């Protein structure tokens, strides 16, 4: 079996990671007089790396993040210095998921809730979890549509009425907070900060 045939066979076996680097690894093995076990180990490692990268890429795409570049590394904790950054990093470990607990991000618009949710979602994917990112209004729309279509296992007849009922909202929050972690993101707003120079210029 020549190199071309071997490459084709590897792809038929769905070993694309090995096939992609086979020729390069062969040259390396010859140049470094690499023992067969080391050569094989490199090929297996290449395949595992490729599969891991593709899995992360697929799960990130399935999560449908609004901005996949949001991470804790590029979150400005100094903007809201009272934020519990220790809790944010603890949530990013995914331990609360393993314990079947909830996490709530509270604060005015533009205070970093979406950024943190996506950053923690990204961290969860890295740890092997599946993630689906939904903003509240989109989640409610999806659930309402599922109710209309009859595809929801737990239909809710009137979301507007539900959210306008303070007692119902309080009951929902109580259930979430029972096994939940609350991260307060306010009161300063990034959006206000971003808009401020424009307002000054307009004045």
């Amino acid at each position: 079996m020549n190199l071309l045939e071997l490459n084709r066979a590897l792809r038929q076996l769905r070993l694309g990671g090995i096939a992609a680097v086979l020729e390069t690894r062969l040259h390396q093995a010859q140049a470094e007089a690499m023992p067969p076990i080391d050569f094989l180990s490199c090929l297996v490692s290449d395949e595992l790396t490729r599969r891991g990268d593709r899995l992360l890429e697929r799960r990130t795409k399935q999560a449908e993040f609004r901005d996949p570049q949001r991470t804790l590394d590029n979150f400005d904790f100094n903007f809201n210095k009272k934020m519990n950054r220790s809790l944010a990093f603890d949530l990013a470990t995914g331990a609360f998921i393993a314990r079947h607990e909830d996490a709530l991000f509270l604060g005015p618009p533009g205070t970093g809730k979406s950024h943190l949710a996506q950053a923690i979602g990204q961290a969860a994917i890295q740890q092997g979890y599946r993630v689906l990112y939904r903003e509240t209004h989109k989640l409610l729309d999806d659930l309402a549509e599922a109710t209309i279509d009859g595809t929801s296992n737990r239909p809710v007849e009137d979301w507007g009425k539900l959210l306008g009922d303070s007692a119902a909202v309080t009951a929902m929050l109580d259930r979430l907070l029972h096994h939940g972690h609350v991260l307060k993101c306010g009161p300063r707003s990034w959006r206000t900060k971003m808009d401020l120079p424009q307002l000054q210029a307009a004045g």
Side-chain angles (χ1 to χ4, degrees):
M1 184 179 291
N2 59 34
L3 184 60
L4 181 62
E5 292 171 335
L6 181 57
N7 193 291
R8 187 182 300 116
L10 287 169
R11 294 187 184 280
Q12 287 177 344
L13 292 170
R14 298 185 179 180
L15 296 173
I18 293 179
V21 299
L22 178 60
E23 189 170 359
T24 300
R25 289 300 191 188
L26 282 171
H27 289 311
Q28 179 186 4
Q30 293 169 355
E32 300 178 6
M34 187 181 291
I37 187 65
D38 291 344
F39 172 63
L40 183 59
S41 295
C42 285
L43 291 177
V44 171
S45 178
D46 291 332
E47 179 64 34
L48 291 174
T49 298
R50 179 184 172 100
R51 291 191 180 195
D53 290 344
R54 292 184 68 180
L55 177 62
L56 290 177
E57 181 181 350
R58 185 167 63 252
R59 287 191 173 177
T60 299
K61 184 176 180 180
Q62 291 172 344
E64 299 182 19
F65 293 119
R66 185 177 66 188
D67 186 352
Q69 306 306 316
R70 300 291 189 183
T71 66
L72 288 183
D73 290 337
N74 57 36
F75 185 80
D76 186 4
F77 286 98
N78 290 323
F79 184 68
N80 284 313
K81 294 185 178 180
K82 292 184 178 180
M83 182 181 293
N84 187 345
R85 66 175 66 192
S86 177
L87 175 57
F89 282 99
D90 184 64
L91 293 174
T93 67
F96 79 103
I97 303 174
R99 295 193 297 262
H100 305 288
E101 297 171 347
D102 301 306
L104 295 177
F105 306 143
L106 303 180
T111 53
K113 300 185 300 296
S114 294
H115 186 140
L116 287 171
Q118 292 176 94
I120 291 171
Q122 290 279 12
I125 289 175
Q126 294 286 337
Q127 295 157 31
Y129 291 102
R130 296 178 184 273
V131 171
L132 180 62
Y133 175 78
R134 282 289 184 274
E135 294 179 347
T136 304
H137 69 278
K138 183 64 169 65
L139 175 62
L140 296 180
D141 287 344
D142 290 346
L143 290 174
E145 184 177 343
T147 300
I148 294 172
D149 294 341
T151 56
S152 173
N153 292 328
R154 300 180 63 183
V156 177
E157 296 179 356
D158 190 344
W159 282 107
K161 181 178 178 180
L162 174 64
L163 294 179
D165 185 340
S166 60
V169 172
T170 300
M172 288 168 53
L173 289 175
D174 284 344
R175 294 192 66 178
L176 288 172
L177 293 172
H178 183 62
H179 292 294
H181 304 273
V182 178
L183 186 60
K184 296 180 180 178
C185 301
R188 300 183 67 194
S189 171
W190 268 105
R191 295 175 192 172
T192 302
K193 178 185 177 184
M194 297 290 287
D195 292 342
L196 187 57
Q198 298 177 8
L199 292 173
Q200 292 174 339

